[in-house]
Amino acid sequence: RLLDLSLRNKLLNFKDNRLSIPLQSSEIILSKLEDALANQEGFLFKSIESIALKEVQRENEKNYIDHYVDECLARKILFSPLESSVLEKRLIEVYRASKTALEEGGANTLFLAVGFLEWKESERSKRIFKAPLLLIPVQITRETAKTGYKLFMYDDEPRFNSTLLQLLRQDFDLDILGLNPLPTDDAGVDVNQILHIIRKAVVSIPGWEVKTEAAIGQF
């Protein structure tokens, strides 16, 4: 009864804004990233603007970028589709907001949203909403101006978006099993299995789709 099931809730209607940072991702990247964060590894941020594409044919750019971003995970670098200047401003905003929330409220509100469900209120509806699936508690640190901002997992457990599960039960008579407890692999939760469970559950609902996207945001 305490859950906010209105479209004002970012857990049901997520929109990119100044307090969010979208990440360049794919299903392979999402799984590797969660494993690395679970192993207490930290990541620096870069814009995909910094990826040299001069010698890459236009039709091959997406595959090249995905491959390059995947390779850079091993070097502890995350890429965002945001322009460099916008990314820097958002990192500052997100860092300050999350630090203030932790100091004043005593609770971490910063999460890495892994995977999104695109959903509609009805088959005829033209409005499409995005709800995050897996929420990984994270923190952004800044040691010096030169080193920049770094992403780490916060000292808490990943969780599935319980507000979304309640909406699905209440409004769509859809009870998704297999997420409590979350499936695990050798390093943390099993991202691929979680995405598979949701895809299987919504496959017959017109206009609904699981997206292999990721974003850092305040929830």
Side-chain angles (χ1 to χ4, degrees), residues 32-145:
K32 288 182 178 179
L33 175 58
E34 187 279 327
D35 287 349
L37 288 171
N39 287 326
Q40 303 302 314
E41 296 174 20
F43 290 83
L44 294 169
F45 294 89
K46 279 190 177 183
S47 167
I48 61 170
E49 278 186 338
S50 63
I51 302 175
L53 298 172
K54 286 184 179 179
E55 297 181 9
V56 182
Q57 293 182 341
R58 184 171 293 276
E59 61 268 24
N60 296 330
E61 281 185 3
K62 185 183 182 304
N63 288 337
Y64 180 85
I65 289 173
D66 284 345
H67 182 69
Y68 187 85
V69 171
D70 183 26
E71 285 187 333
C72 284
L73 274 180
R75 289 159 41 201
K76 306 300 178 285
I77 299 172
L78 289 176
F79 284 86
S80 172
L82 297 173
E83 296 177 359
S84 298
S85 59
V86 177
L87 174 60
E88 186 63 24
K89 288 178 182 177
R90 290 205 189 179
L91 281 168
I92 295 170
E93 293 263 19
V94 170
Y95 170 74
R96 289 175 177 169
S98 60
K99 190 176 180 182
T100 299
L102 195 56
E103 290 173 352
E104 295 183 355
N108 180 58
T109 59
L110 190 65
F111 290 85
L112 168 63
V114 173
F116 284 84
L117 174 65
E118 284 193 347
W119 65 281
K120 300 194 297 183
E121 292 178 293
S122 67
E123 186 175 344
R124 293 183 178 181
S125 176
K126 294 182 179 179
R127 295 180 67 192
I128 297 176
F129 307 103
K130 287 175 63 173
L133 299 177
L134 180 66
L135 297 164
I136 301 174
V138 292
Q139 60 179 331
I140 292 178
T141 64
R142 191 190 187 203
E143 297 172 10
T144 66

Side-chain angles (χ1 to χ4, degrees), residues 3-9 12 163-164 166-167 170-171:
L3 293 175
D4 177 9
L5 299 182
S6 74
L7 294 175
R8 295 186 302 271
N9 192 340
L12 300 177
T163 304
L164 174 62
Q166 181 60 25
L167 176 82
Q170 180 176 298
D171 291 7

Side-chain angles (χ1 to χ4, degrees), residues 164-189:
L164 174 62
L165 290 179
Q166 181 60 25
L167 176 82
L168 296 179
R169 289 190 200 101
Q170 180 176 298
D171 291 7
F172 300 95
D173 197 27
L174 185 61
D175 196 4
I176 300 179
L177 304 177
L179 297 172
N180 187 22
L182 289 172
T184 58
D185 53 24
D186 293 335
V189 299

